[in-house]
Amino acid sequence: MNYNITAIIPVRKNSVRLKNKNFINFVNKKSLLEIKIDQLKKVKYIDNIVVSSDSLKAKVIAKKKGVKFHLRDKYFASSKCSGGKFFKNLAESIPGDYIVYCPCTSPVITDKTYSNFFKKFLRLRKKYDSFNTVSELKTFIWKNHTPLNYDLLNAPNSQDLPGNYHALTFGINIISKDKMIKYKNIVGKNPKFTILNKFESIDVNDKIDFELAKFIYKKYF
C-alpha cells in the first residue's frame, strides 16, 4: 500500500458517567484500553497505533504495550470542547493518510468483524469517503409527537419497520486525514455503513454498560 493507516484510541482522563472506566479492571486484570490495544495489534492492515489522552496512566499503558502516545491538550479532552473541534484537532495532531478511530469503549467486536471491515475498506475506499459501524434501529422512533419511521394509522409489525435508520456505534471508523479535518468528523458525506449485531454494538458509557459488556466478553471471548 502507498498510504499509511493510523489507528487512534481516544482516552479521556476524567470519564464523566463512570469514573476511570478506561483504566479499571475489565476482565483478566486488563482494562478496556489494554484490550483495545491488543485487538488492534491483531489487525494486519494497521501501520501505527496511537493512544491519544490527557492521562499519564494511558501513557504508561501505551509504553508498556509498545504503541505510540499522543498527549492531548486539556481543552481538547474537556467537555468544553465540541465534537467537531475535537475531531479536527485529533486529525491535525497525528500523522497518517487514513485515520482509524477506535474508542476502547467498544470491547465486544470480534477479530472477524475487524478483518471484514478492513477488507471492505480496501476494496471500496475510492467509492466512499468514510467507513463506519452502526446498529440498525428496528424500533418505533418518535420525534416530539410525530412518528419518524412508520405511519401512525397503519403501524407495521416491528420486524417490518424500515431498515434504513441507523445509529453510530463508534466501534470502528475509517476516514482520510484530510476529510476528517475538512468535515470535523469521523463520518464523511458519502459513508459506507457496516451493521453490527447487538453484542458488538455495545458502547460502554456507564456502570450498567460496563457490567453488560464484561458479561458478554467473558462468555464469548
Side-chain angles (χ1 to χ4, degrees):
M1 295 185 297
N2 57 356
Y3 49 87
N4 182 276
I5 299 176
T6 297
I8 300 176
I9 308 174
V11 181
R12 283 179 64 176
K13 179 180 180 181
N14 296 315
S15 49
V16 178
R17 283 171 280 187
L18 178 59
K19 190 175 181 181
N20 290 321
K21 68 180 179 183
N22 300 305
F23 307 111
I24 57 179
N25 178 39
F26 182 66
V27 290
N28 300 328
K29 296 183 180 179
K30 286 186 176 183
S31 65
L32 287 171
L33 176 55
E34 290 170 300
I35 285 172
K36 184 56 62 178
I37 293 172
D38 289 342
Q39 285 179 335
L40 294 178
K41 276 186 166 183
K42 296 177 185 177
V43 181
K44 64 180 180 180
Y45 308 102
I46 294 173
D47 298 299
N48 298 294
I49 299 173
V50 180
V51 175
S52 173
S53 181
D54 59 331
S55 166
L56 291 180
K57 284 184 181 179
K59 184 177 182 179
V60 170
I61 291 172
K63 184 176 180 181
K64 174 186 169 186
K65 290 287 186 179
V67 299
K68 297 177 181 179
F69 179 77
H70 165 250
L71 181 61
R72 202 187 312 168
D73 183 275
K74 287 185 178 180
Y75 171 74
F76 293 105
S78 71
S79 299
K80 295 178 182 179
C81 177
S82 68
K85 289 180 180 178
F86 163 69
F87 287 131
K88 184 174 185 288
N89 175 260
L90 201 61
E92 289 175 336
S93 302
I94 297 173
D97 298 310
Y98 283 93
I99 302 296
V100 185
Y101 182 83
C102 293
C104 56
T105 49
S106 297
V108 194
I109 299 180
T110 66
D111 293 345
K112 183 178 180 181
T113 295
Y114 275 108
S115 178
N116 290 339
F117 189 92
F118 276 86
K119 286 177 182 177
K120 186 183 296 181
F121 159 72
L122 293 172
R123 190 174 71 251
L124 301 173
R125 67 183 183 87
K126 293 183 179 179
K127 186 175 180 180
Y128 300 95
D129 61 0
S130 77
F131 294 75
N132 311 87
T133 55
V134 298
S135 59
E136 192 174 47
L137 290 178
K138 279 281 189 177
T139 187
F140 296 91
I141 306 171
W142 283 65
K143 182 178 181 181
N144 298 325
H145 297 285
T146 304
L148 295 183
N149 62 338
Y150 71 100
D151 181 354
L152 180 63
L153 301 178
N154 188 26
N157 295 322
S158 58
Q159 66 267 25
D160 296 323
L161 285 165
N164 58 346
Y165 284 78
H166 302 100
L168 291 171
T169 69
F170 292 96
I172 318 173
N173 308 271
I174 302 180
I175 189 169
S176 71
K177 178 188 179 79
D178 293 342
K179 288 287 194 330
M180 190 168 169
I181 293 171
K182 180 180 179 179
Y183 298 141
K184 302 178 184 179
N185 211 312
I186 52 171
V187 184
K189 291 191 174 182
N190 182 33
K192 177 63 176 176
F193 291 153
T194 294
I195 300 174
L196 300 184
N197 61 36
K198 284 188 176 182
F199 288 166
E200 292 186 293
S201 296
I202 290 175
D203 181 38
V204 177
N205 287 307
D206 54 31
K207 181 67 174 176
I208 293 175
D209 295 335
F210 189 88
E211 293 301 327
L212 179 60
K214 182 191 291 188
F215 172 79
I216 294 170
Y217 192 93
K218 284 182 176 180
K219 186 173 178 64
Y220 293 101
F221 283 72

